[in-house]
Amino acid sequence: MVVKKKILIVDDEESFGKLVKLNLEETGEYEVRVETKGMRAVPVAREFKPDFILLDVVMPDMDGGDVAQQLKGDKELKGIPVGFLTALVSE
């Protein structure tokens, strides 16, 4: 039995999260969960126990930096690597 790595994606764009989830799970190496509310990231991470968290930088309820700060301040979650992503483009 293959042990899959768990990835939590926190992004307010549900369709983007589903697309990334589909692509990662298609490899057979990952179990992915998508959360669309930044404020739910910490409780979901406690329950899901991911190996990696991918955070959107800009979300309407709480930005990725604030979510990362909460994760790093949580004794259960502080060791989980966090990556940021954004669709913002500027010249």
Side-chain angles (χ1 to χ4, degrees):
M1 183 175 152
V2 176
V3 176
K4 295 181 181 182
K5 294 285 185 182
K6 292 181 173 184
I7 298 176
L8 174 60
I9 299 169
V10 183
D11 192 310
D12 62 309
E13 293 291 329
E14 188 174 358
S15 59
F16 177 77
K18 285 181 178 181
L19 179 66
V20 175
K21 174 182 167 69
L22 178 69
N23 282 287
L24 287 169
E25 288 184 340
E26 196 172 84
T27 69
E29 296 182 25
Y30 304 101
E31 178 183 346
V32 181
R33 183 153 171 194
V34 178
E35 176 54 54
T36 59
K37 304 259 188 254
M39 296 179 78
R40 294 268 316 128
V42 171
V44 169
R46 281 192 194 124
E47 182 267 318
F48 184 57
K49 299 183 181 7
D51 297 294
F52 182 74
I53 299 172
L54 191 56
L55 284 176
D56 187 5
V57 174
V58 179
M59 294 182 282
D61 64 329
M62 177 182 273
D63 75 42
D66 291 338
V67 172
Q69 198 168 29
Q70 283 190 0
L71 292 165
K72 297 301 176 193
D74 186 290
K75 65 181 180 183
E76 286 182 49
L77 308 173
K78 65 182 179 185
I80 300 171
V82 174
F84 291 96
L85 63 100
T86 186
L88 291 179
V89 177
S90 62
E91 292 184 25

